[in-house]
Amino acid sequence: MSEAKRQTRSPGDGPLTGVRVVELAGIGPGPFAAMLLADLGADVVRVDRPGGPGLAIDPAHDVTNRNKRSVVVDLKAPEGPALVLDLAERADVLIEGYRPGVAERLGVGPDDCRARNPRLVYGRMTGWGQDGPLARRAGHDIGYIALTGALGMIGVPDRPPAVPANLLGDYAGGSLYLVVGVLAALHHARATGTGQVVDAAIVDGTAHLSSMIHGMLAAGTWQDLRGANLLDGGCPFYGTYETADGRYMAVGALEPRFYAEFMELLGIPEHAPARDDMARWAELREAVAARFKSRTRDEWTAVFANSDACAAPVLTLREAPHHPHLAARSTFTDHDGITQPAPAPRFSATPTTVRTGPALPGADTDAVARDWHVPRLATPSRNPQ
């Protein structure tokens, strides 16, 4: 494929059109990071392993593999590493999520790849990082965020910390930091002609997310306790409340004018003066909780509609796509019968879209062999001319 054709844009391709990415298949934050690059228009080729990655989900429903193409390569076979190196030679970015040292043992580590392509940005996604006492230990999101102090901040003080799915560690502290690092390194590579290795560790990214909190802790405006602060549920006008039907409302009326409107619409303006008296926060919380229990979630949603009271219904995953605001913005989209979040963020000149559904393992082998000029990747029975 010519460089001119590689840079050709079509509506919905996104700002990364022409960028080639090799993703060595894994689970969790690596695939999500590669999906984000694919959503932004990069040509992401996922190198799947024979037998799949071990994730208990039908590949046809794994939306983290949308907008990608897939080939199957057995890296433990004699010819496997050479095929990946052929792809790396033609790529701008490679992403892998193995434990430290595994890619090197397989023959596809940074030195192997960058010997073939000095401009390559080699993105490494791990939980503990490439060095340190725990670097080679197994782990998952919950353990990574536990050590950073982030998990200990979440939940009420008399209960165990609340588990925020794997959004905080894997995706916020992991995937998003990998993508930021990869794009920064790609910018550097295009300016200098030299690639580099990006070490994205979930512990690093998650710790970095708590920068403001550490500043508040140093200033004495944050207690190192769960449920005792302005933004962690300790504040009665920043938290969640159960409604009459067993559902919940979320309240974030921090600023005085928003708080005043919230209390007026809630119907207990006489408690408004308790806002700045932390000694009366328990009393205020009880009053707010009692009022919310008097009506259903949808009734309270109607009360706070079109206001600046900063109160919103807590929706389920299935409810969220139907909220009028999210529907108006097309925050969710349907593709091949799967409702899923649309690509984000949005671009005025290079809009993005879900171009293709999840890449099925090996389904694009011959097309990639042709487009990336790697003929020995093609299946023997076909000629990728």
Side-chain angles (χ1 to χ4, degrees):
M1 182 170 62
S2 69
E3 193 64 25
K5 183 175 181 182
R6 181 175 167 179
Q7 298 295 336
T8 299
R9 296 186 184 278
S10 300
D13 280 355
L16 292 186
T17 296
V19 173
R20 286 176 170 170
V21 178
V22 176
E23 174 199 353
L24 302 186
I27 60 175
F32 186 88
M35 181 202 75
L36 181 50
L37 296 172
D39 282 354
L40 297 180
D43 181 7
V44 176
V45 171
R46 178 177 169 92
V47 180
D48 278 299
R49 66 192 69 175
L55 185 64
I57 183 175
D58 179 355
H61 289 88
D62 186 358
V63 298
T64 63
N65 286 328
R66 71 187 185 191
N67 289 336
K68 302 177 184 179
R69 298 193 286 179
S70 170
V71 302
V72 171
V73 174
D74 184 356
L75 280 169
K76 295 182 179 179
E79 73 282 1
L83 293 174
V84 170
L85 293 177
D86 284 350
L87 291 169
E89 182 177 348
R90 293 156 176 81
D92 300 290
V93 176
L94 183 145
I95 290 175
E96 62 93 0
Y98 302 139
R99 291 197 208 186
V102 172
E104 285 84 350
R105 290 201 301 272
L106 292 171
V108 293
D111 291 344
D112 302 298
C113 291
R114 297 187 62 242
R116 296 277 292 271
N117 180 3
R119 299 173 62 93
L120 183 71
V121 173
Y122 195 103
R124 316 199 79 167
M125 182 76 262
T126 61
W128 304 117
Q130 295 298 312
D131 54 36
L134 297 177
R136 285 173 169 75
R137 299 279 73 82
H140 283 291
D141 175 291
I142 192 168
Y144 309 139
I145 68 174
L147 287 195
T148 64
L151 180 61
M153 294 167 49
I154 304 172
V156 295
D158 57 345
R159 299 287 301 277
V163 180
N166 67 330
L167 300 177
L168 176 56
D170 278 355
Y171 298 140
S175 303
L176 297 186
Y177 277 84
L178 176 61
V179 169
V180 169
V182 161
L183 294 180
L186 182 61
H187 175 76
H188 175 266
R190 290 186 166 179
T192 66
T194 303
Q196 60 184 300
V197 177
V198 178
D199 174 5
I202 294 173
V203 290
D204 295 347
T206 305
H208 193 258
L209 288 169
S210 65
S211 296
M212 184 189 75
I213 305 298
H214 277 276
M216 296 173 70
L217 186 66
T221 56
W222 187 277
Q223 299 182 68
D224 200 6
L225 300 169
R226 187 165 57 256
N229 299 282
L230 193 65
L231 302 174
D232 66 356
C235 170
F237 42 93
Y238 196 90
T240 56
Y241 289 92
E242 187 176 1
T243 55
D245 54 350
R247 295 195 240 183
Y248 293 87
M249 292 290 292
V251 177
L254 290 176
E255 295 81 357
R257 66 189 183 93
F258 301 150
Y259 175 80
E261 186 168 357
F262 166 68
M263 296 300 282
E264 186 68 33
L265 291 174
L266 192 64
I268 52 172
E270 67 276 11
H271 286 277
R275 177 185 186 278
D276 297 320
D277 185 357
M278 293 184 65
R280 296 184 61 191
W281 271 9
E283 171 192 343
L284 177 58
R285 186 188 307 280
E286 290 179 7
V288 172
R291 282 295 293 161
F292 270 120
K293 286 286 284 185
S294 69
R295 297 184 185 181
T296 67
R297 185 196 67 179
D298 291 346
E299 289 172 334
W300 281 118
T301 299
V303 168
F304 291 111
N306 303 315
S307 78
D308 281 337
C310 299
V314 178
L315 302 181
T316 67
L317 291 174
R318 294 191 185 279
E319 289 176 318
H322 304 290
H323 186 275
H325 181 77
L326 303 185
R329 284 184 57 81
S330 299
T331 299
F332 292 85
T333 187
D334 290 291
H335 191 278
D336 289 343
I338 301 176
T339 300
Q340 56 196 279
R346 305 181 185 201
F347 299 86
S348 61
T350 54
T352 58
T353 188
V354 178
R355 303 182 303 277
T356 62
L360 301 181
D364 308 292
T365 299
D366 290 337
V368 172
R370 179 190 65 241
D371 297 343
W372 284 46
H373 292 260
V374 185
R376 59 177 170 171
L377 182 68
T379 53
S381 62
R382 300 179 185 176
N383 184 12
Q385 298 298 323

